[in-house]
Amino acid sequence: MGPHPAVAAIRLAVRRVLHDVIAEHAEQTERAGHAPHPELAQAGAGSRRTALPERPDTPLVLVACSGGADSMALASALAFEARKLPVRAGGITVDHGLQDGSDTRATEVAARLAAMDLGPVEAVSVRVGRDGGPEAAARDARYAALDAAAERHGAAAVLLGHTRDDQAETVLLGLARGSGIRSLSGMAAASGPAGRYRRPFLQLDRQTARTACLAQSLPVWDDPHNIDPAYTRSRLRHEGLPALEKALGKGVVEALARTAQLSRDDADALDTWAAAADRDVRDDAGRLECAKLYALPPAVRRRVLRRAAIEAGSPAGSLFARHIEEVDRLVTGWRGQQAINLPGRVEALRQGGRLVIRQS
């Protein structure tokens, strides 16, 4: 008899991502002029293998594991699939230091990962700042630690346990912020430097991951922050989404996840258009020409302006829609306005029919 359906689903999701990582690694190895692992190309094409001898050129994939159901299910699936593929599998758990006993819990999670024959395994402690609020600060500290671990170990990818439910919550949070279509696109299946972060479970619901843990008798830890109403995402998860489902019926989570994918496709297309338009709206000296900017569709023009502001030194995470709207008025509603101050000590001003965005 085969594995429980939930276990089979999480393993299949991880297997697909591992095949992608292996194929990409083989291609990079070949471009670098090195002979790839003799099994890499075949495995990347979708073959099933028994355990393979470990070689230094075999890609390393890490799983970020908090000890919760989603990430424990992910870790177990990675450990299972890695035994049959030319890939090394390790694990990282991050101690945010926000709760009593968090260091002990991180040590326990690391021990569970090691017991799955994952390696290397690390428990990393971080200091959480204050910028952006507690949730954003914790997220920034966590990703900084994961980035450092990936660099330290030379990992080809880091797997994250975000589910379809997490995606739905992210879309609703973006909608509440009024941040535009890119925010509504939610989390990408691959993101970060060179697509380092992979999210195999974006098409699976949270209950599937929890059921997989129960079926395999995997111990899980339920973070009390996930039910603490002090946190926005927690309120959305336990109050907002249930209220939406009560008012609109079942299927809200699936619909929001589809919205994320459709929005991402549209945002990617607009970004590509804006990148091409950026070259066409500049004069010979590389300055932005207001008349040419004015002729662009608003969605494309604002992307060009945002790109220019970031290139001038404005931090992307601090550059909001209201900033770009003010800069846009220098093009579409010119009335002799003064320079617009942007985050990162950047200013935007109009001079002789040109839009100048520079350090102030």
Side-chain angles (χ1 to χ4, degrees):
M1 187 172 66
H4 188 284
V7 176
I10 64 169
R11 289 177 179 175
L12 176 60
V14 169
R15 188 184 316 143
R16 287 170 171 163
V17 169
L18 291 182
H19 284 313
D20 290 342
V21 171
I22 291 167
E24 292 163 11
H25 183 79
E27 183 179 347
Q28 292 169 3
T29 301
E30 188 174 356
R31 282 202 306 266
H34 303 300
H37 191 299
E39 304 290 348
L40 282 178
Q42 186 179 7
S47 68
R48 297 292 299 273
R49 299 289 302 172
T50 54
L52 295 168
E54 185 175 305
R55 288 179 30 158
D57 62 352
T58 303
L60 170 65
V61 177
L62 300 174
V63 57
C65 185
S66 66
D70 302 340
S71 59
M72 284 299 293
L74 183 59
S76 71
L78 174 61
F80 180 85
E81 294 297 330
R83 298 187 190 105
K84 302 176 292 180
L85 294 169
V87 64
R88 292 175 293 139
I92 302 292
T93 186
V94 178
D95 172 19
H96 298 84
L98 299 176
Q99 301 172 24
D100 292 338
S102 62
D103 53 344
T104 300
R105 191 174 304 110
T107 300
E108 292 172 351
V109 172
R112 290 171 190 167
L113 296 178
M116 295 179 183
D117 292 330
L118 296 176
V121 168
E122 275 192 292
V124 181
S125 298
V126 299
R127 292 193 63 178
V128 176
R130 297 174 178 267
D131 292 346
E135 292 169 280
R139 182 176 61 249
D140 290 345
R142 179 167 61 254
Y143 276 101
L146 294 176
D147 277 334
E151 295 291 339
R152 188 163 55 249
H153 295 291
V158 178
L159 304 189
L160 304 176
H162 297 123
T163 65
R164 187 170 62 191
D165 301 80
D166 296 307
Q167 184 75 297
E169 293 162 7
T170 301
V171 172
L172 285 176
L173 289 171
L175 184 63
R177 287 193 296 266
S179 304
I181 194 171
R182 177 56 72 184
S183 185
L184 294 183
S185 65
M187 296 175 287
S191 65
R196 167 180 292 159
Y197 294 108
R198 309 294 175 105
R199 298 176 174 87
F201 289 175
L202 285 184
Q203 302 303 317
L204 299 177
D205 61 24
R206 190 174 288 138
Q207 188 57 44
T208 296
R210 184 167 290 275
T211 300
C213 289
L214 289 172
Q216 299 172 96
S217 299
L218 294 175
V220 300
W221 171 67
D222 290 317
D223 186 346
H225 283 174
N226 289 336
I227 58 173
D228 187 342
Y231 295 95
T232 304
R233 187 176 285 268
S234 175
R235 294 196 302 273
L236 180 60
R237 180 175 301 177
H238 298 287
E239 300 173 24
L241 269 173
L244 280 175
E245 290 194 333
K246 182 177 180 180
L248 303 176
K250 296 294 183 181
V252 169
V253 168
E254 293 86 343
L256 289 168
R258 285 196 302 274
T259 296
Q261 185 56 59
L262 292 170
S263 298
R264 182 166 297 280
D265 291 344
D266 290 348
D268 288 346
L270 287 168
D271 286 346
T272 301
W273 187 353
D278 184 85
R279 298 187 293 270
D280 297 333
V281 297
R282 295 180 182 271
D283 61 17
D284 293 340
R287 296 173 299 179
L288 292 166
E289 298 188 60
C290 292
K292 292 181 178 178
L293 284 167
Y294 186 87
L296 292 175
V300 178
R301 182 176 59 247
R302 288 170 183 160
R303 280 170 166 76
V304 172
L305 299 179
R306 179 178 175 81
R307 284 166 55 94
I310 292 172
E311 288 172 1
S314 195
S318 302
L319 196 60
F320 302 135
R322 57 184 170 83
H323 295 126
I324 302 305
E325 288 170 3
E326 288 298 318
V327 177
D328 194 42
R329 288 192 186 91
L330 296 177
V331 177
T332 63
W334 174 242
R335 298 291 187 274
Q337 300 97 310
Q338 297 297 311
I340 304 299
N341 294 318
L342 301 174
R345 299 178 63 84
V346 172
E347 66 175 7
L349 65 158
R350 181 164 172 158
Q351 292 180 338
R354 304 292 189 272
L355 187 66
V356 179
I357 302 178
R358 65 192 181 191
Q359 283 285 322
S360 60

